[in-house]
């Protein structure tokens, strides 16, 4: 069995992963299994991670800048005799001495301009290419697929996720058009359904028609049509077995935060 390194981070976790892979390259095999656990923000999650890791021959490398989280991880790992590597603290301490000032201790301040930058660019291009179900071939290539009826903010969500490096495609759900079979073959954490309260969708669609210079009483914005679409979409999402997020009165950032949590937790459990 190859060595396993858990990467625990309150951000994306790329820094610790890069260090882990660089260290592994110094050994003859050079091969390790990386289990990255990003966006860790509470002690309860840390306990769950350490308990999971303790059943395996592994080490935990972490980049946690919040002192309480670091302490929780070290204490929990000590209970199970799981080796840990604090990737950031030695450098922070050295810079504190040189700079003569304390670090901000805020998670996620690193902004990489190399691999991460180009991955974001690729993800944005991907979101544009596979927007609104233009090409179902994108579904199998996507990290995430977003489902929903018209005007549930599928496109803005996919663009936001793209800036997080996630390749997201979206598929509109319309009763008259069968969705691609591919969505039913994906792992459930890679499919996200969006729903919304009928009244708010009615208002959004009416405003959309007005902006296009069309009459607001068209069937597209009628409550009967909206209820039919939402019921149909609910059935498709149930069949896909995906998580469903109600976007009523939610900002894109709020929805995206929940989507990322579902996605990364799912990635951890399927590895």
């Amino acid at each position: 069995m190859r060595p396993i390194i858990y990467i625990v981070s309150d951000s994306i976790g790329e820094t610790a992963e890069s260090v882990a892979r660089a260290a592994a390259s110094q050994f003859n095999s050079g091969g390790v299994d990386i289990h990255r656990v990003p966006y860790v923000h509470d002690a309860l999650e840390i306990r769950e991670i350490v308990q999971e890791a303790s059943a395996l021959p592994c080490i935990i490398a972490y980049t946690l800048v919040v002192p309480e989280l670091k302490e929780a991880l070290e204490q929990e790992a000590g209970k199970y005799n799981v080796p840990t590597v604090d990737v950031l603290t030695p450098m922070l301490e050295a810079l504190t001495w040189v700079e003569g000032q304390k670090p901000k201790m805020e998670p996620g301040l690193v902004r990489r301009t190399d691999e991460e930058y180009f991955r974001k660019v690729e993800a944005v291009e991907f979101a544009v290419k596979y927007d609104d179900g233009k090409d179902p071939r994108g579904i199998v290539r996507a990290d995430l697929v977003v489902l929903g009826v018209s005007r549930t903010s599928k496109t803005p969500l996919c663009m936001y996720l793209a800036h997080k490096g996630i390749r997201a495609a979206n598929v509109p759900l319309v009763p008259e058009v069968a969705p691609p079979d591919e969505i039913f073959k994906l792992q459930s954490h890679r499919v996200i359904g969006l729903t919304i309260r009928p009244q708010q969708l009615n208002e959004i669609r009416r405003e959309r028609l007005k902006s296009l210079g069309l009459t607001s009483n068209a069937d597209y914005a009628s409550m009967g049509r909206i209820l039919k679409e939402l019921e149909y979409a609910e059935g498709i999402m149930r069949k896909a077995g995906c998580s469903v997020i109600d976007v009523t009165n939610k900002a894109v950032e709020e929805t995206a935060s929940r989507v990322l949590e579902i996605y990364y937790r799912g990635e951890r459990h399927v590895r």
Side-chain angles (χ1 to χ4, degrees):
M1 185 176 182
R2 299 204 307 177
I4 299 172
I5 303 178
Y6 270 71
I7 304 296
V8 179
S9 176
D10 44 27
S11 186
I12 295 176
E14 287 193 338
T15 301
E17 181 172 345
S18 296
V19 172
R21 292 195 183 280
S25 70
Q26 298 299 315
F27 294 83
N28 290 335
S29 65
V32 294
D33 287 330
I34 300 290
H35 289 194
R36 196 196 301 186
V37 190
Y39 302 116
V40 174
H41 298 299
D42 63 76
L44 177 60
E45 187 173 5
I46 283 177
R47 286 197 292 272
E48 293 173 350
I49 294 165
V50 175
Q51 288 173 11
E52 177 183 311
S54 67
L56 303 167
C58 70
I59 65 173
I60 296 177
Y62 65 91
T63 50
L64 297 170
V65 298
V66 178
E68 293 79 8
L69 293 181
K70 290 169 55 179
E71 183 179 354
L73 177 58
E74 289 290 353
Q75 287 182 353
E76 199 66 24
K79 293 179 185 177
Y80 294 95
N81 294 317
V82 177
T84 62
V85 178
D86 183 348
V87 176
L88 280 182
T89 297
M91 182 61 72
L92 287 172
E93 291 176 345
L95 284 171
T96 297
W97 185 81
V98 172
E99 293 278 355
Q101 58 181 324
K102 294 182 178 180
K104 295 179 179 179
M105 305 306 288
E106 296 178 19
L109 293 181
V110 176
R111 295 294 180 266
R112 297 186 58 175
T113 57
D114 46 11
E115 259 183 62
E116 184 179 347
Y117 171 78
F118 290 109
R119 185 168 62 252
K120 288 179 180 179
V121 171
E122 180 192 3
V124 170
E125 292 175 345
F126 186 93
V128 172
K129 183 176 182 180
Y130 297 111
D131 180 47
D132 225 16
K134 292 174 182 175
D135 187 346
R137 290 176 299 178
I139 293 173
V140 295
R141 295 185 54 225
D143 298 315
L144 269 172
V145 177
V146 179
L147 310 178
V149 301
S150 175
R151 313 313 294 176
T152 48
S153 298
K154 297 186 300 299
T155 297
L157 174 61
C158 288
M159 293 304 295
Y160 187 95
L161 293 172
H163 286 281
K164 298 293 184 181
I166 301 292
R167 295 183 304 177
N170 74 78
V171 177
L173 298 179
V174 184
E176 293 77 14
V177 181
D181 290 336
E182 287 83 356
I183 66 173
F184 304 114
K185 301 174 183 177
L186 296 176
Q187 295 160 326
S188 60
H189 72 280
R190 292 179 56 204
V191 184
I192 300 292
L194 303 182
T195 189
I196 189 172
R197 291 178 191 165
Q199 187 58 48
Q200 184 172 12
L201 184 56
N202 173 261
E203 295 172 4
I204 293 172
R205 288 189 174 185
R206 287 167 65 90
E207 288 301 317
R208 176 58 175 165
L209 289 172
K210 286 180 183 178
S211 71
L212 295 174
L214 303 173
T215 176
S216 60
N217 60 3
D219 184 52
Y220 173 72
S222 72
M223 190 58 73
R225 174 66 187 184
I226 286 172
L227 291 173
K228 178 181 178 180
E229 288 188 24
L230 290 174
E231 182 180 4
Y232 171 77
E234 182 182 343
I236 296 298
M237 294 172 194
R238 190 163 51 245
K239 181 180 178 182
C242 64
S243 296
V244 179
I245 300 173
D246 189 339
V247 300
T248 305
N249 296 323
K250 280 189 174 68
V252 171
E253 294 85 354
E254 186 178 356
T255 302
S257 177
R258 177 64 180 138
V259 170
L260 288 170
E261 179 183 355
I262 293 168
Y263 173 71
Y264 280 118
R265 283 183 183 274
E267 284 290 280
R268 175 156 63 95
H269 289 302
V270 299
R271 286 180 178 178

